[in-house]
Amino acid sequence: MAKAKTRVKVPKSVKKGEVFEAKALIKHKMETGQRKDRKTGEKVPRFIINKFTAEYNGKQVFASDWHPAIAANPFISFHAKASESGTMVFKWTDDKGKTVEASAKVNVA
Amino acid sequence: MQRFATKLTASFAAAAIVTIAMGADADVGDKYGAYKVEDRRSGFTYATKETQRIQVDDFENPAMIWVDDGEALWNKAEGEASKSCASCHNDAAESMKGVATVFPKYDPKLGRMKNVEKQINICRTERMKAKPWKLESNEMLAMTVYVRHQSRGMPMNVKVDGEVAPFFEAGKKFYYQRRGQLDLACGHCHVDNPGGQMRANILSQGQSNGFPTYRLKWQRVGSIHRRFRGCNKQVRAIPYKAGSEEYTNLELYVAWRGRGLPVETPAVRN
Amino acid sequence: MINKLEMQPVTRRDLLRYAGTGALAAVAAGLLPAMAQADAKMMADAMKKLIGDKKPTDGKITLELPQIAENGRTVPIGFEVDSPMTDADHVKSVHIFADGNPRPDVASFHFTPQSGTAKVGVRIRLAKTQNIVALAEMSDGSVYMGKAPVKVTIGGCGG
């Protein structure tokens, strides 16, 4: 998954204690394990991202477990609260245990 | 052909349902905003609110990842000439602005029309001395999306007269030619019946201003020629090849049909 | 009818009020006979695996679903759970199920008081018209449930 591409967004600036929205996209086929290869007729093995987490300044603020019903090129939006400026680290983990990280800074005014 | 035979029953069923309801649009004023010019409506106006919402936010639109990929490729030197796109064209935001509005364009050397994909491969083989990209490859889609994206919001404005006229006429002829086991021309769905239904789907005007487009069906980005192939298959006709002269002329005609509509690349559609 | 289907200004929340227009009903009618309702045992097992023998109470969860999904391969859904999200009283987890998919489990989401609000948007795959079920586990051990149907368009050029 080293080549996986991501896009993440948080507000540049929030007020102290304000709840803000974070958005994250990643390019991934999310193979369900149900699909058959058109040419060979054989089932394509399952290969999905099964975990997505977000840490703010090293502390987990959101986590999720994904099953094959999550659509290809997964999008997720969630919320967090910040009492100080810091960095949100987004982390995706696939079926092979490989991880991809992306980060974004939040300025607490 | 065997494949067509097995689908015959299904196609008759589909043919029966092609008694398409008329799109009696009661739309007045500018409720579609920039997505409508005179009687021409972007596919955006036929999409559900949910699909529209995915398109308009650059951090929800999954095709923006292809735009990012294209930007990285733009700056990557390749081939014997060790050149990148940026070596000649510098900043795409400046040099590629407006390009999507005027392609396909006539190429005197080829003696025919070329679309953005063809131009990219001409640059790769002639300027960069690199291998051409396969149509529909990740690289080609990413670069095409990136180049066309630089014109987002600008009105489609292809040239159709002068030396282009015979190619435009060929594209128009293709558009109104009945084909396939369903004996349907492009125009039967997209001129006569936009707003109506083909089975459970709403028919649009078949505009090209958002291509390459992220289709929910494909779960990825795809080209206008891939869409043409899909349409041709759906009327049970044998599709032409992506990149063929037939489809390039058709691309020109379809671009003219959408004249004035804003480039939306990368759009999100069903 | 067609105009309604296409242009009706529905909010995603309208789903809960969800009274199909003629056009929508017509679309659904075609699907209903083939709509084998959920393998109830699979659903029950999937839910039990996550919440044990706890009995969920209706409420607290607002589901944001499209009235009609243009394509089952990418269906945007969202939810929000009513909670103060304090150390003493917050949402711990929300589990989403789709009762007509080959596997009913879709995803689980885990929150902390630092989440601020238990509100999530995500895109899922739905094999056909079916119910979305959400279970919210609270910090006091109680479990709430929300459930609503989504109609999935099948067939035609996009299907």
Side-chain angles (χ1 to χ4, degrees), chain C residues 3 6 13 17 26-27 37 41 47 49 60 69 78 83 87 108 116-117 120-121 130 134 138 146 148 151 156:
Chain C
N3 272 340
E6 178 198 332
R13 266 166 225 259
R17 278 181 302 250
V27 170
Q37 196 46 253
K41 189 177 178 308
M47 285 166 65
K49 209 174 126 189
K60 299 226 182 203
S83 163
D87 285 343
S108 292
T117 176
V120 166
Q130 56 185 293
M138 316 302 271
K151 285 174 179 166

Side-chain angles (χ1 to χ4, degrees), chain B residues 97-238:
Chain B
K97 197 173 177 181
V99 164
T101 66
V102 295
F103 269 77
K105 226 174 172 175
Y106 180 71
D107 186 312
K109 219 168 139 187
L110 293 173
R112 63 181 183 98
M113 305 303 294
K114 63 182 171 189
N115 59 7
V116 170
E117 287 90 335
K118 181 73 182 167
Q119 180 63 60
I120 290 168
N121 269 344
I122 290 172
C123 284
R124 285 184 63 80
T125 54
E126 293 180 9
R127 307 277 190 92
M128 297 164 71
K129 307 287 178 204
K131 277 188 186 163
W133 278 324
K134 276 190 182 165
L135 296 178
E136 234 54 36
S137 64
N138 262 318
E139 289 85 356
M140 181 56 97
L141 287 168
M143 184 57 72
T144 310
V145 164
Y146 180 64
V147 168
R148 294 191 71 99
H149 180 66
Q150 307 308 321
S151 307
R152 188 157 68 165
M154 296 175 71
M156 303 269 284
N157 184 28
V158 284
K159 179 179 159 73
V160 296
D161 56 0
E163 71 275 20
V164 178
F167 304 99
F168 176 75
E169 287 306 319
K172 184 177 179 181
K173 200 177 158 201
F174 188 108
Y175 197 87
Y176 287 102
Q177 173 71 54
R178 287 177 180 271
R179 64 190 69 241
Q181 289 177 330
L182 297 193
D183 205 27
L184 287 172
C186 310
H188 285 119
C189 285
H190 301 296
V191 175
D192 299 344
N193 289 295
Q197 273 178 272
M198 171 70 96
R199 300 180 65 199
N201 283 125
I202 306 273
L203 289 166
S204 74
Q205 292 182 356
Q207 300 290 4
S208 61
N209 55 313
F211 277 86
T213 284
Y214 189 96
R215 283 192 75 200
L216 305 183
K217 174 182 178 170
W218 295 334
Q219 303 178 75
R220 58 173 297 183
V221 168
S223 72
I224 185 72
H225 287 201
R226 181 176 178 189
R227 190 68 190 88
F228 289 160
R229 284 177 61 83
C231 274
N232 279 177
K233 283 183 203 166
Q234 266 146 355
V235 298
R236 312 276 179 239
I238 297 171

Side-chain angles (χ1 to χ4, degrees), chain C residues 54-132:
Chain C
K54 283 180 184 161
K55 290 265 175 294
T57 314
D58 277 343
K60 299 226 182 203
I61 304 170
T62 307
L63 286 168
E64 279 190 66
L65 308 172
Q67 189 164 34
I68 186 159
E70 229 173 344
N71 193 305
R73 290 177 185 182
T74 309
V75 184
I77 67 158
F79 64 80
E80 185 170 5
V81 186
D82 181 19
S83 163
M85 295 303 279
T86 58
D87 285 343
D89 182 5
H90 60 270
V91 182
K92 283 178 73 177
S93 297
V94 173
H95 311 291
I96 301 289
F97 306 89
D99 71 2
N101 271 1
R103 274 182 63 159
D105 42 2
V106 173
S108 292
F109 305 93
H110 311 290
F111 307 91
T112 72
Q114 276 67 47
S115 303
T117 176
K119 184 180 179 186
V120 166
V122 68
R123 296 177 193 144
I124 68 170
R125 293 170 166 143
L126 295 176
K128 58 187 175 188
T129 294
Q130 56 185 293
N131 292 307
I132 301 298

Side-chain angles (χ1 to χ4, degrees), chain A residues 1-2 15 20 35 44 50 52 55 57-58 60 65 69 74 77 86-87 99 103-104:
Chain A
M1 221 163 75
K15 287 184 193 130
F20 62 88
R35 193 174 66 94
V44 180
N50 60 47
F52 170 80
E55 285 183 357
N57 283 348
Q60 186 168 298
D65 309 309
S77 67
T87 304
T99 60
S103 63

Side-chain angles (χ1 to χ4, degrees), chain A residues 5 7-8 23 27 73, chain B residues 57 60 68-69 214 219:
Chain A
K5 302 285 172 50
R7 279 179 79 80
V8 297
K23 293 178 180 179
K27 193 175 179 181
N73 304 310
Chain B
D57 184 322
E60 297 199 13
D68 289 347
D69 286 351
Y214 189 96
Q219 303 178 75

